[in-house]
Amino acid sequence: MEKIKVASLFCGCGGMDLGTIGGFSYLGKEYKENPFEIVYAVDNDEYCTKIYNENFVHKCVVKDVRDIKIEEIPQFDMLIGGFPCQSFSISAQNPPRLGYKDERGLLFFEMVKLLKERQPRFFIAENVKGILSANKGKAFPIIIKEFSDAGYTVVHKLLNASEYGVPQKRERVIIIGFRDLEDLLKFHYPMKVGYSERKVLGDVLIEESNYDETLFFSEKAVAGMMAVRAKMNKGRTMSLTEPCNTISAHLAKVSLNSTDPVYMVGDRYRRFSAREAARIQSFPDSFAFDCVSQIRQYKAIGNAVPPVMMWHIANSLTVCLKK
Ligand SMILES: C[S@@+](CC[C@H](N)C(=O)[O-])C[C@H]1O[C@@H](n2cnc3c(N)ncnc32)[C@H](O)[C@@H]1O
């Protein structure tokens, strides 16, 4: 089967891209190659792109997506991207329009612009659950309309990574656009995996981390937490027998007072190591992060789309490619 060519915007360290192309193993399971190849990838963060370029044969470009000249992107059949959505403001026009005054909100339009201009067969956009309720629920329908107006039939679904073999309860909205009706008619979102294939935190923690003093919170941090304990969930200690809570991009700075998940060893609390965080996100151990500092590793890992969840999504599109 000829491979579908993919352009990837906001590629980060490549979680979404790895899942799309497949060909990796995680916790003893092979995620076979999908019929997709990345022909163009871009992100403006020099650290996560360094990680990206360490791990893929193809290379990504370090650039602000707003500076891309459309001609520099080779021909592609699918566009993918987890566009940043920190703040969508809605202009009170009639009909209401999306945050034209907000610079970061505008990044979503870079995907729309490319779709309008190039009309690839598919697109996949990923975003946080909060996008569904942003601006009191007003932003999301406008986003969908912008994608539809670019020439696509658009579907969306909230997926929980833990239901696809990832040891994390990460919920993400997956928006998929189809240019051709016949593709849409063949498509179904991926089925949840059976319970025997689901993973929990205990499947990925690394015993040696329990002896790494740099990962433990100080007595002072713990005392501070105890003082406000009534208000919080005991430093968000995670259970080994369940998928972990969602890890974020600031795990390096995780504090006992934040909502970031931590782990309790005996009577002491520790953060996850970067490799454990990568495993919680379903990156294979062969994926190298140590070309950048720990803080940058945690950021890139916490921002990523879990490759295993993305593999299931990309794989579900392959029914459209069969003749
Ligand atoms: C949620 S992360 C994407 C993670 C990626 N999909 C993955 O799975 O690893 C969003 C990315 O958008 C990038 N970004 C933000 N503004 C950008 C811009 N103006 N141009 C290019 N990339 C940008 C950030 O550096 C970040 O890596």
Side-chain angles (χ1 to χ4, degrees):
M1 194 188 290
E2 205 189 317
K3 287 191 171 171
I4 288 278
K5 295 183 169 54
V6 179
S8 168
L9 296 192
F10 314 110
C11 66
C13 68
M16 197 170 190
D17 297 25
L18 178 64
T20 300
I21 61 179
F24 63 94
S25 76
Y26 173 71
L27 298 182
K29 184 171 158 46
E30 287 296 318
Y31 291 87
K32 64 177 173 36
E33 265 185 33
N34 282 322
F36 296 104
E37 64 175 322
I38 312 280
V39 294
Y40 184 85
V42 62
D43 195 290
N44 69 347
D45 180 302
E46 67 173 292
Y47 303 101
C48 61
T49 47
K50 197 164 178 204
I51 300 173
Y52 190 105
N53 287 336
E54 280 282 311
N55 288 286
F56 294 97
V57 179
H58 68 273
K59 302 296 168 203
C60 72
V61 180
V62 188
K63 202 174 212 179
D64 191 308
V65 293
R66 289 163 296 194
D67 297 335
I68 299 173
K69 296 203 175 41
I70 285 198
E71 319 79 80
E72 78 192 57
I73 308 183
Q75 188 272 331
F76 61 92
D77 308 303
M78 178 159 92
L79 179 67
I80 62 172
F83 56 90
C85 88
Q86 287 88 340
S87 44
F88 284 114
S89 51
I90 295 188
S91 318
Q93 292 175 355
N94 198 9
R97 302 175 79 189
L98 265 191
Y100 285 93
K101 292 195 191 110
D102 184 300
E103 216 202 356
R104 285 180 297 185
L106 281 171
L107 290 171
F108 146 78
F109 288 107
E110 298 301 321
M111 281 190 87
V112 173
K113 200 164 87 187
L114 256 183
L115 292 172
K116 277 191 178 145
E117 195 92 11
R118 289 291 191 86
Q119 294 286 297
R121 187 166 164 188
F122 310 103
F123 77 84
I124 307 178
E126 176 263 2
N127 227 288
V128 294
K129 185 181 176 185
I131 197 172
L132 297 173
S133 52
N135 301 82
K136 301 200 172 89
K138 286 190 195 136
F140 193 67
I142 303 180
I143 291 169
I144 296 294
K145 181 162 187 316
E146 291 284 346
F147 277 131
S148 309
D149 290 350
Y152 290 83
T153 308
V154 183
V155 295
H156 72 273
K157 189 168 180 178
L158 184 67
L159 300 188
N160 188 321
S162 67
E163 294 172 334
Y164 296 90
V166 177
Q168 186 188 180
K169 299 173 196 161
R170 193 180 189 90
E171 289 186 294
R172 289 295 182 265
V173 179
I174 303 297
I175 304 166
I176 307 186
F178 298 86
R179 183 194 63 198
D180 304 332
L181 194 59
E182 59 189 290
D183 286 333
L184 171 73
L185 294 176
K186 290 183 194 158
F187 173 77
H188 294 282
Y189 274 92
M191 301 246 293
K192 296 172 186 177
V193 302
Y195 282 95
S196 62
E197 285 182 61
R198 298 198 185 179
K199 301 294 172 202
V200 293
L201 185 59
D203 294 325
V204 292
L205 288 194
I206 301 167
E207 173 70 15
E208 291 90 81
S209 301
N210 292 338
Y211 305 99
D212 180 349
E213 276 305 314
T214 64
L215 295 175
F216 282 83
F217 291 97
S218 66
E219 279 179 24
K220 196 170 154 210
V222 176
M225 184 272 288
M226 292 298 178
V228 291
R229 190 153 98 157
K231 280 197 226 131
M232 47 172 289
N233 182 14
K234 273 195 176 177
R236 310 283 165 164
T237 305
M238 293 294 111
S239 154
L240 287 179
T241 58
E242 280 180 44
C244 187
N245 285 2
T246 304
I247 60 165
S248 77
H250 44 89
L251 204 64
K253 287 184 266 174
V254 71
S255 97
L256 274 166
N257 294 328
S258 81
T259 53
D260 279 306
V262 295
Y263 181 56
M264 200 169 190
V265 186
D267 58 356
R268 299 176 68 204
Y269 295 92
R270 73 164 174 87
R271 75 193 81 222
F272 299 118
S273 68
R275 177 52 66 192
E276 286 173 323
R279 286 181 170 192
I280 291 168
Q281 280 278 56
S282 75
F283 279 95
D285 283 351
S286 55
F287 204 93
F289 289 95
D290 50 14
C291 53
V292 299
S293 72
Q294 287 239 339
I295 288 186
R296 307 287 180 190
Q297 293 181 40
Y298 280 115
K299 185 175 172 206
I301 294 166
N303 265 334
V305 178
V308 164
M309 181 173 93
M310 189 63 202
W311 182 88
H312 285 281
I313 296 162
N315 190 256
S316 68
L317 276 174
T318 58
V319 295
C320 305
L321 309 179
K322 294 195 178 114
K323 291 263 154 56

